[in-house]
């Protein structure tokens, strides 16, 4: 079992969901990732990650209202769960901790 | 491509997505794809957008999106089957009439189906007991003479057989078989006629006929060896330990070298005794007329190909052999072909068959009839179920409200129809046992061919058939019920919806009645034609003539004995009995020696023509010739004169003309009026009568005048016994023989007649059910009409006019169809037949209408007579 580990891309997606607040659905997440992370996110990949995150209990999803766009199909909105938040915070803490332990000299000019 | 489509994602890709994707994921996934698609249409153009869409649909085919098999649902099915059975049982009990109609109809039709299944299974099991059955082939012959229709024979020439064995590579084993050995076996004092088959020593290598005694490798090796079946052993010796004992045929001593287990019925080779192939002198000789490439009429050759060999390669060898031999003959091509063992019994039409065969066409015919009958009964079920649906919609509605899915409701009705089909199967099985006896007694050919005993495989097929019938007839009701909208039904506004299927039901009734009418008309027309064949004026007299097969006895001796019987009148001799389908032909020429035709012949004595009452147009009868005298006369028919233009207008002038038959010069001494030499299927062709007083394999034609046939027969038999103690008397009246010659038609008429009867019964049952239902549902309407003053007559008219219209519609389709069928397809095969009348068409229509009216009338009358106050007060 992968347990509660957060992969790099998973973390990115989770963060994007958090930034989008109430508008986090697959296509928007893709767009956001492309805009801010500067990498081409394929819909299929994002979908798979969202599915995995939901399995791990980091996000939960609800179906929105039907609109006339998208051929009348509803969107699936994702929100970060408490577990998700905890995982994000933990990931950040680990990084901060590691950052703090790097001697100032080494990365200063980078 | 249409522009409208371009701005939409491809439909099939959408369907694919819905098919494989989990339902809970499908919606937003599709939505996402749509959104991308819309963007792509703008950004990259519709064509590329569509491609990307399709690619994405395939990309989403991942482990987490795929729909898992729904085990829970399968489990639910099994749990629910108990409930389905229970509700089906209740519904069966509640609607006794409908259940009866359905079960009875299905049982009757399925019994016919069982019969056909039994027949087909048994025919397919022919020759499957041979261990090497997949590798055994028979060498058959295709004979094409210049300017004549080709002939296919099951036999081949002895030359071909020997050549295949010695000069062709690529075979594992080879055997020659010849039918037609017959002789009187003498064992000590007793004499018993035996017919047997010649077979060579390889016979038991190829075919799996187990020997109880003797060595299979050598039993048929030496000349004058005899292998007897168990049964034959018991008739001849009363014992099976007979190895080495001798049997005398004529003057030749045969030694029993083996005892073979009785041949099973499903074998195309049937024999009670085998004689070693080398016993016949003509088989051993080199040369001689029997040993020519063109004598293709006696030998059956079987090859055993090696494992994993290609029959086509061996066929190429055969072609080479045929080509080499054909180079030596003129005006004729004889080619050898391979026929797999399994195709022998159910194969193409071949002359000179060695055993029983059945044409696949006949089998298709039976299958077709059974299918139509079962279809008809299935229609009844479908029809009545949908018609009754109003009473079941509530049940379905509640089931749906409680959570039943569409397919679960569907399955419920399929289970119900299957239960009914299985119940019908039980009854059908009993009917089948009865029907089997009737079927086998229809024709000696059938009881000879098959026994239709039940086997476990057959029972399996029976159950399979019941399941298929159940599924098939339940399918439409199942689809219909599963589509029911629960809310609408429970609100009580179901009536409108139910009657939407009225047209379907009407169509089913029309189809049923079409079949009924076609079968009845066919039976009537067929029967009329058959009757006319029997009473057909053949051009000579057949009444009171008894044909006695001579069986190689001396005519004078028999004649002398018969003359003592007081009822016996004139006696004549003839080689064949004409008008029954047996033919004898020879080449004939007139002045122009290049103009040769086949003339049909009969060899008769001087008594023959007067006895049979042939009409002479000119000249006189054949003169009696003393023994050994050269024949010089012929009596011919009008057709022969016409063919060679020998003064056809004035036959008298043809007298004295010399014709050549078989290179023999014969003077025409008499011309008889044309008569039917063949059956009514053939037109009258040139024929000639030649003189012969000695026809040991022919017939005595005896004029018998008697009022007490059994006593006369006993006297004739006694007379026969005085001359021939070995062979039983074989005597038949000419008229009976004619009837026998057309027996195939009688059999067919009986089969179709039975089917017609069943079809009418089933269709009537169905109609009855529909009428009962309609009458019941319209009871209130009728009562109100009655209160408002409608008369009984008008009410009956109102209720029955719909059904009558359907009946007339069916007649409008079925009657012209049958008429054309006979006019254009069936009767063109018969050169002489009475004209097709309209009487049969009218009779069948009237009879079907009367039956239908009885069904409709009885029910509508009941409703029309009902007391309206009784009906209406219950509202």
């Amino acid at each position: 079992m992968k347990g509660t580990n957060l992969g790099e891309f998973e973390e990115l997606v989770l963060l994007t969901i958090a930034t989008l607040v109430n508008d986090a659905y697959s296509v928007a997440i893709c767009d956001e990732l492309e805009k801010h992370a500067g990498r081409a996110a394929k819909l299929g990949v994002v979908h798979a990650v969202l599915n995995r995150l939901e399995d791990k209990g980091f996000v939960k999803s609800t179906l929105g209202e039907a609109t006339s766009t998208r051929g009348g199909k509803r969107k699936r909105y994702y929100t970060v769960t408490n577990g998700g938040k905890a995982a994000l915070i933990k990931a950040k803490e680990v990084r901060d901790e590691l950052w703090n332990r790097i001697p100032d000299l080494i990365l200063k000019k980078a | 491509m249409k522009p409208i489509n371009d701005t939409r994602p491809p439909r099939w890709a959408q369907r694919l997505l819905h098919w494989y994707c989990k339902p809970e994921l499908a919606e937003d996934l599709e939505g996402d794809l749509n959104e991308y698609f819309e963007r792509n249409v703008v950004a990259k153009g519709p064509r590329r957008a569509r491609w990307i869409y399709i690619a994405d649909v395939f990309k989403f085919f991942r482990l987490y999106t795929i729909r898992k098999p729904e085990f829970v649902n399968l489990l639910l099915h099994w749990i629910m089957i108990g409930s389905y059975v229970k509700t089906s049982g209740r519904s069966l009990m509640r609607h006794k009439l409908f259940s009866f109609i359905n079960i009875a109809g299905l049982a009757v039709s399925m019994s016919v189906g069982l019969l056909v299944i039994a027949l087909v299974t048994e025919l397919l099991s022919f020759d499957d007991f041979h261990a090497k059955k997949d590798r055994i082939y028979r060498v058959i012959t295709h004979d094409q003479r210049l300017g004549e229709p080709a002939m296919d024979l099951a036999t081949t020439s002895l030359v071909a057989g020997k050549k295949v064995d010695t000069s062709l590579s690529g075979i594992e084993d080879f055997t020659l078989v010849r039918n037609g050995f017959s002789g009187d076996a003498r064992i000590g004092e007793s004499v018993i006629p035996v017919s047997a088959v010649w077979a060579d020593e390889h016979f038991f290598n190829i075919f799996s006929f187990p020997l109880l005694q003797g060595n299979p490798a050598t039993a048929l090796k030496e000349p004058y060896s005899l292998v007897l079946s168990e049964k034959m052993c018991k008739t001849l010796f009363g014992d099976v330990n007979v190895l080495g004992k001798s049997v005398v045929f004529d003057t030749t001593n045969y030694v029993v070298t083996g005892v073979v287990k009785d041949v099973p019925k499903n074998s195309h080779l049937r024999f009670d005794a085998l004689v070693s192939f080398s016993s016949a002198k003509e088989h051993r000789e080199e040369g001689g007329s029997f040993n020519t490439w063109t004598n293709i009429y006696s030998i059956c050759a079987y090859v055993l190909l090696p494992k994993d060999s290609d029959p086509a390669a061996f066929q190429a060898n055969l072609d080479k052999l045929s080509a080499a031999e054909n180079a030596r003959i003129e005006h004729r091509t004889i080619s050898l072909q391979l026929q797999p063992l399994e195709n022998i019994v159910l194969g193409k039409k071949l002359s000179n068959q060695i055993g029983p065969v059945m044409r696949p066409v006949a089998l298709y015919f039976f299958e077709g009839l059974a299918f139509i009958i079962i279809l008809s009964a299935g229609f009844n079920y479908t029809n009545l179920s949908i018609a009754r649906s109003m009473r079941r919609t509530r049940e379905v509605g509640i089931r749906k409200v409680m959570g039943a899915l569409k397919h679960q409701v569907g399955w419920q009705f399929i289970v119900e129809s299957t239960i009914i089909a299985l119940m019908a199967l039980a009854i059908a099985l009993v009917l089948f046992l009865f029907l089997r006896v009737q079927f086998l007694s229809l024709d000696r050919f059938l009881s000879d061919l098959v026994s239709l005993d039940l086997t476990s495989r057959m029972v399996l097929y029976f159950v399979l058939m019941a399941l298929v019938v159940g599924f098939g007839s339940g399918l439409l009701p199942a689809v219909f019920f599963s589509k029911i909208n629960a809310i609408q039904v429970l609100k009580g506004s179901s009536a409108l919806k139910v009657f939407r299927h009225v047209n379907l039901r009407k169509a089913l009734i029309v189809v049923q009645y079409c079949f009924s009418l076609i079968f009845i008309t066919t039976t009537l027309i067929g029967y009329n034609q058959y009757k006319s064949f029997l009473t057909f004026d053949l051009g000579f007299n057949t009444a009171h003539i008894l044909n006695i097969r001579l069986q190689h006895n001396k005519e004078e001796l028999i004649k002398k004995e018969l003359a003592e019987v007081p009822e016996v009148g004139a006696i004549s001799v003839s080689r064949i009995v004409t008008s029954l389908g047996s033919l004898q032909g020879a080449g004939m020429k007139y002045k122009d020696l290049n103009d040769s035709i086949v003339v049909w012949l009969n060899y008769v004595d001087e008594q023959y023509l007067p006895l049979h009452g042939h009409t002479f147009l000119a000249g006189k009868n054949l003169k009696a010739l003393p023994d050994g005298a050269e024949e010089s006369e012929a009596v011919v028919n009008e057709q022969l004169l016409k063919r060679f233009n020998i003064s056809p207008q004035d036959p008298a002038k043809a007298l004295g003309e010399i014709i050549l038959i078989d290179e023999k010069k014969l003077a025409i001494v008499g011309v008889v009026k044309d008569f039917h030499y063949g059956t009514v299927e053939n037109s009258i062709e040139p024929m000639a009568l030649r003189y012969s007083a000695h026809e040991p394999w022919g017939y005595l034609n005896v004029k018998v005048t008697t009022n007490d046939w059994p006593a006369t027969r006993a006297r004739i038999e006694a007379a026969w016994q005085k001359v021939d103690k070995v062979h039983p008397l074989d005597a038949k009246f000419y008229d009976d023989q004619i009837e026998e010659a057309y027996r195939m038609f009688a059999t067919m008429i009986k089969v179709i007649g039975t089917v017609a009867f069943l079809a009418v019964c089933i269709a009537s049952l169905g109609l009855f059910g529909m009428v009962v239902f309609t009458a019941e549902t319209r009871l209130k309407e009728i009562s109100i009409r009655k209160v408002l003053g409608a008369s009984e007559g008008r009410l009956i008219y109102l209720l029955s006019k719909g059904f009558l219209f359907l009946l007339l519609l069916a007649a409008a389709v079925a009657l012209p169809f049958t008429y054309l069928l006979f006019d254009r397809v069936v009767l063109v095969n018969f050169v002489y037949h009475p004209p097709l009348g309209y009487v049969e068409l009218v009779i069948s229509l009237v009879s079907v209408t009367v039956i239908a009216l009885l069904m409709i009338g009885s029910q509508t009358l009941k409703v029309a007579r009902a007391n309206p106050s009784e009906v209406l007060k219950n509202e």
Side-chain angles (χ1 to χ4, degrees), chain B residues 551-782:
Chain B
Q551 308 185 63
H552 216 182
N553 286 300
K554 290 233 163 20
E555 298 85 1
E556 303 85 54
L557 297 177
I558 305 270
K559 270 194 207 168
K560 206 179 111 227
E561 294 298 335
L562 285 177
E564 317 243 309
V565 180
E567 291 91 340
V568 167
I571 301 174
S572 71
V573 178
S574 69
R575 181 171 290 183
I576 59 172
V577 178
T578 55
S579 306
L580 301 180
S582 29
L583 309 166
Q584 180 145 15
M588 182 206 139
K589 293 167 192 167
Y590 183 49
K591 282 173 183 162
D592 178 4
L593 294 182
N594 287 323
D595 184 14
S596 159
I597 62 156
V598 172
V599 67
W600 302 117
L601 291 177
N602 196 6
Y603 293 80
V604 299
D605 71 353
E606 74 280 2
Q607 297 286 343
Y608 182 86
L609 287 168
L611 182 86
H612 288 83
H614 281 284
T615 323
F616 276 92
L617 297 175
K620 54 183 181 4
N621 194 2
L622 295 161
K623 258 205 314 282
L625 293 174
D627 279 358
E630 189 81 356
E631 61 165 336
S632 61
E633 297 178 339
V635 168
V636 301
N637 69 353
E638 295 168 78
Q639 289 298 324
L640 189 133
L641 298 188
K642 264 188 209 144
R643 172 64 183 74
F644 286 101
N645 203 16
I646 316 175
S647 119
Q649 270 73 45
D650 184 6
K653 284 192 184 144
L655 299 179
E657 292 291 323
I658 304 293
I659 53 174
L660 276 169
I661 298 179
D662 261 350
E663 308 300 326
K664 197 168 184 91
K665 284 184 182 169
L666 298 172
I668 297 175
V669 293
V671 178
V672 286
K673 216 177 117 210
D674 279 344
F675 67 96
H676 285 266
Y677 179 88
T679 58
V680 292
E681 287 161 82
N682 316 106
S683 52
I684 299 177
E685 287 166 348
M687 73 85 55
L689 293 149
R690 293 167 67 173
Y691 185 82
S692 166
H694 299 291
E695 289 296 335
W697 298 113
Y699 294 85
L700 285 183
N701 323 109
V702 182
K703 193 98 179 171
V704 178
T705 26
T706 175
N707 294 323
D708 182 12
W709 169 234
T712 312
R713 188 185 159 96
R715 275 195 281 275
I716 292 176
E717 209 153 351
W720 172 270
Q721 282 282 323
K722 279 186 206 161
V723 182
D724 187 343
K725 290 185 178 57
V726 179
H727 305 101
L729 172 75
D730 181 4
K732 285 181 190 127
F733 274 110
Y734 210 146
D735 286 339
D736 296 342
Q737 282 179 303
I738 290 175
E739 201 170 317
E740 212 166 289
Y742 296 106
R743 200 186 45 200
M744 207 188 81
F745 301 108
T747 309
M748 241 154 84
I749 290 164
K750 274 186 217 159
V751 169
I752 299 177
T754 316
V755 169
F757 175 72
L758 294 183
V760 173
C761 283
I762 291 169
S764 304
L765 275 178
L767 184 69
F768 184 68
M770 289 302 291
V771 174
V772 169
F773 170 77
T774 319
E776 273 178 24
T777 41
R778 295 178 75 176
L779 198 56
K780 265 179 203 146
E781 176 199 333
I782 301 294

Side-chain angles (χ1 to χ4, degrees), chain B residues 62-77:
Chain B
R62 291 170 185 226
L63 213 54
Y64 75 93
T65 55
I66 304 172
R67 203 190 272 258
K68 307 275 181 303
E70 290 157 7
F71 288 111
V72 180
N73 273 337
L74 284 180
L75 195 67
L76 265 181
H77 265 314

Side-chain angles (χ1 to χ4, degrees), chain A residues 25-27 30-31 42-45 47-48 51 63 69-76, chain B residues 18 24-36 38-39 56 59-60 62 64:
Chain A
Y25 77 101
S26 46
V27 178
C30 278
D31 294 346
K42 287 265 182 263
L43 182 64
V45 181
H47 243 278
N51 192 59
L63 283 172
T69 54
R70 292 164 59 93
K73 304 292 174 196
R74 292 177 289 178
K75 295 172 183 169
R76 186 175 291 273
Chain B
H18 276 278
E24 64 267 27
L25 290 181
E27 184 173 350
D28 66 303
L29 236 175
E30 198 190 338
D32 292 349
L33 288 177
N34 286 346
E35 203 172 329
Y36 264 91
E38 281 157 22
R39 278 191 209 173
D56 278 345
K59 277 192 206 159
F60 270 113
R62 291 170 185 226
Y64 75 93

Side-chain angles (χ1 to χ4, degrees), chain B residues 275-333:
Chain B
V275 178
S276 57
F277 198 73
S278 49
S279 309
K281 192 159 63 91
E282 62 265 33
H283 295 168
R284 296 195 302 264
E285 280 172 347
E286 295 292 325
S289 69
F290 192 78
N291 222 333
T292 59
W293 173 247
T294 49
N295 194 333
I296 49 177
Y297 307 104
S298 328
I299 305 290
C300 283
Y302 297 87
V303 292
L304 180 67
L305 295 184
K307 273 189 186 123
D308 305 321
S309 71
D310 181 15
F314 186 69
Q315 177 67 51
N317 282 343
L318 283 180
D319 292 344
K320 263 183 247 157
L321 172 72
S322 316
E325 291 288 336
N326 282 331
R328 290 183 218 167
I329 53 171
E330 280 186 339
H331 306 312
R332 196 168 173 187
T333 326

Side-chain angles (χ1 to χ4, degrees), chain B residues 474-490:
Chain B
L475 192 62
L476 269 179
V479 169
F480 171 75
F481 281 112
S482 65
K483 277 189 186 156
I484 280 177
N485 184 337
I487 299 169
Q488 247 186 1
V489 170
L490 294 179

Side-chain angles (χ1 to χ4, degrees), chain B residues 151-404:
Chain B
M151 194 150 80
D152 284 294
L153 297 119
T155 49
T156 188
S157 58
L158 185 59
V159 174
K162 284 178 177 168
K163 286 253 156 91
V164 168
D165 192 16
T166 54
S167 65
L168 291 189
S169 59
I171 54 172
E172 184 176 314
D173 215 332
F174 182 78
T175 189
L176 294 174
V177 174
R178 181 182 170 198
N179 206 354
F181 177 95
S182 77
D184 300 333
R186 259 188 298 132
I187 298 152
E189 293 299 297
S190 58
V191 179
I192 298 162
V194 172
S195 47
V197 169
W198 283 283
D200 67 13
E201 67 265 29
H202 303 288
F203 185 76
F204 293 114
N205 294 345
I206 292 181
F207 298 112
S208 309
F209 294 113
L211 278 189
L212 299 176
Q213 289 179 24
N215 181 353
T218 56
L220 290 167
K221 192 157 191 175
E222 297 302 318
Y224 312 114
S225 308
L226 189 63
V227 173
L228 299 173
S229 72
E230 259 181 294
K231 201 172 77 197
M232 189 48 99
C233 278
K234 287 189 181 123
T235 353
L236 291 180
F237 298 99
D239 183 16
V240 287
N241 292 316
V242 293
L243 228 51
K245 290 195 179 172
S246 61
V247 179
V248 180
F249 287 101
D250 287 333
T251 54
T252 320
N253 197 23
Y254 284 76
V255 179
V256 179
T257 52
V259 177
V260 68
K261 227 175 135 193
D262 281 341
V263 177
K265 198 159 190 178
N266 60 347
S267 167
H268 87 279
L269 281 165
R270 288 177 178 175
F271 52 84
D272 284 325
L274 293 168
V275 178
S276 57
F277 198 73
S278 49
S279 309
K281 192 159 63 91
E282 62 265 33
H283 295 168
R284 296 195 302 264
E285 280 172 347
E286 295 292 325
S289 69
F290 192 78
N291 222 333
T292 59
W293 173 247
T294 49
N295 194 333
I296 49 177
Y297 307 104
S298 328
I299 305 290
C300 283
Y302 297 87
V303 292
L304 180 67
L305 295 184
K307 273 189 186 123
D308 305 321
S309 71
D310 181 15
F314 186 69
Q315 177 67 51
N317 282 343
L318 283 180
D319 292 344
K320 263 183 247 157
L321 172 72
S322 316
E325 291 288 336
N326 282 331
R328 290 183 218 167
I329 53 171
E330 280 186 339
H331 306 312
R332 196 168 173 187
T333 326
I334 293 170
S335 41
L336 305 178
Q337 291 160 355
L338 283 183
Q339 184 183 38
L341 184 68
E342 60 190 5
N343 288 1
I344 288 181
V345 171
L346 274 176
K348 62 177 177 179
K349 190 178 181 181
L350 297 170
S351 312
N352 281 3
Q353 285 285 7
I354 193 170
V357 288
M358 177 120 179
R359 300 288 307 284
V361 176
L363 208 56
Y364 296 150
F365 176 71
F366 281 130
E367 283 168 5
L369 290 184
F371 179 72
I372 288 173
I373 292 274
I374 293 179
L375 202 65
S376 196
F379 281 0
N380 273 357
Y381 184 86
T382 305
N383 236 346
L384 291 176
S385 303
I386 296 183
R388 278 188 309 143
S389 61
M390 242 169 37
R391 311 187 173 194
R392 296 290 296 272
T393 46
R394 289 253 154 106
E395 178 198 328
V396 173
I398 290 182
R399 267 180 195 277
K400 284 202 161 180
V401 167
M402 303 299 277

